[in-house]
Amino acid sequence: MSSSTYSSFKLACIQLSVTSDKNANLINAKSKILEASRNGAKVIVLPECFNSPYGTKYFSEYAENIPQGESVKTLSEAAKEANAFVVGGSIPERDSSGKLYNTCTVYDTKGNLIVKHRKVHLFDIDIPGIIKFQESETLSPGSSLTHFETDYGKVGIGICYDMRFPEMAMIAARKGCIAMIYPGAFNLTTGPLHWELLQRARALDNQFFVATCSPARDMTSTYHAWGHSTVTDPNGQIVATTEHEEAIIYADIVSSQRRFDLYPDISAHK
Ligand SMILES: NC(=O)CCC(=O)C(=O)O
């Protein structure tokens, strides 16, 4: 098989109900991963902040060391049992110096943690009287871009607000990624405005698939997630989506025919 001809596979995005009970979130995440796998999914995605409510006051309490924490243990077991790649949404991570990050961990089909992505662009918004949220109050930004190999092709990772910055997706495409996956939690203000538009733009710009995976909406929590987890194809068309309740969406991902092995640096050509 050449590096440009990957087979197709089924991707699942789990729009998980996230509660303030971390253990319950982990049990629910594992059970939904196994359900998605029984339905044929080979790459399974969880939402941003799947083990904790999304809010700056929660990050420190729910934060874990990676790879020692219980969330990594659960996701590793789930990936192995499901025999699927798992893109573990994100969790609050605490590093050895005490800094906090919003971090996505990714597992192969044997349950090995193969890569982690720390959210690069922190979400700070202040629309007086409507929404104020400052990730940078408690989190530090990541400083690298993340891509990982699957049996079906290379995939890029960003987290939520990262989707607003087209360079990340463009670099992933130039590196030969067949898809960009964004665990994310937009809200009731920016969700209707930009959630779908951004992912369709990233997909169309780069002629690859884009998948977004949100937590389900909980109107009793302090942050109201938009939901609408979605998969968009390289033509910018939505191939799977949902409303805001807990759900699993599925899409068949087919690799593009572009030959990045033959034109690695187009800008160098006169
Ligand atoms: N969790 C996030 O990064 C939210 C980003 C968001 O809502 C936006 O409008 O951007």
Side-chain angles (χ1 to χ4, degrees):
M1 185 188 287
S2 89
S3 62
S4 65
T5 52
Y6 299 110
S7 45
S8 70
F9 65 95
K10 189 175 281 192
L11 176 129
C13 294
I14 300 174
Q15 186 162 289
L16 197 75
S17 278
V18 177
T19 69
S20 55
D21 181 339
K22 189 200 271 193
N23 195 41
N25 295 334
L26 294 181
I27 290 169
N28 192 21
K30 183 172 178 189
S31 123
K32 294 288 188 305
I33 288 168
L34 296 179
E35 178 184 334
S37 145
R38 283 195 299 277
N39 289 330
K42 294 293 176 201
V43 176
I44 303 174
V45 186
L46 290 172
E48 180 177 27
C49 225
F50 83 92
N51 73 356
S52 146
Y54 182 59
T56 49
K57 68 177 179 187
Y58 301 109
F59 293 150
S60 179
E61 181 190 340
Y62 286 77
E64 295 179 18
N65 176 278
I66 294 174
Q68 276 90 25
E70 54 196 315
S71 298
V72 168
K73 183 169 178 287
T74 302
L75 294 186
S76 165
E77 284 168 8
K80 189 172 174 189
E81 232 174 285
N83 191 28
F85 287 83
V86 169
V87 177
S90 76
I91 63 169
E93 174 194 4
R94 178 176 286 105
D95 77 3
S96 54
S97 70
K99 280 186 174 173
L100 300 176
Y101 301 88
N102 186 341
T103 303
C104 174
T105 52
V106 181
Y107 306 81
D108 68 13
T109 56
K110 305 274 181 280
N112 299 307
L113 172 58
I114 49 174
V115 83
K116 74 174 180 184
H117 175 74
R118 289 173 168 165
K119 189 175 189 174
V120 169
H121 304 94
L122 297 182
F123 177 52
D124 287 354
I125 188 172
D126 187 1
I127 305 175
I130 297 181
I131 180 171
K132 180 165 189 218
F133 196 100
Q134 307 279 317
E135 280 193 320
S136 63
E137 278 171 4
T138 50
L139 300 181
S140 296
S143 53
S144 54
L145 305 183
T146 308
H147 314 107
F148 66 96
E149 290 286 352
T150 69
D151 299 339
Y152 320 99
K154 202 189 290 184
V155 172
I157 297 287
I159 301 177
C160 201
Y161 193 57
D162 283 339
M163 183 164 63
R164 288 190 179 272
F165 301 88
E167 293 84 356
M168 276 181 75
M170 199 179 293
I171 290 167
R174 290 294 169 276
K175 286 190 175 292
C177 289
I178 58 166
M180 192 78 192
I181 295 178
Y182 296 98
F186 271 41
N187 51 75
L188 303 191
T189 304
T190 61
L193 282 174
H194 290 152
W195 172 255
E196 182 184 314
L197 181 63
L198 282 165
Q199 56 199 285
R200 293 184 68 189
R202 297 295 84 86
L204 191 60
D205 285 347
N206 297 299
Q207 300 177 26
F208 62 9
F209 285 85
V210 170
T212 54
C213 188
S214 170
R217 189 177 305 161
D218 173 3
M219 291 307 285
T220 68
S221 68
T222 54
Y223 185 89
H224 303 146
W226 176 235
H228 294 81
S229 299
T230 296
V231 181
T232 303
D233 77 9
N235 280 321
Q237 299 303 306
I238 290 175
V239 290
T241 192
T242 186
E243 292 291 328
H244 56 78
E245 297 88 4
E246 187 167 72
I248 307 180
I249 61 164
Y250 297 92
D252 289 320
I253 306 295
V254 186
S255 67
S256 111
Q257 308 254 301
R258 296 174 82 181
R259 294 288 309 274
F260 287 101
D261 52 330
L262 296 183
Y263 32 82
D265 185 2
I266 298 163
S267 61
H269 286 272
K270 297 270 186 267

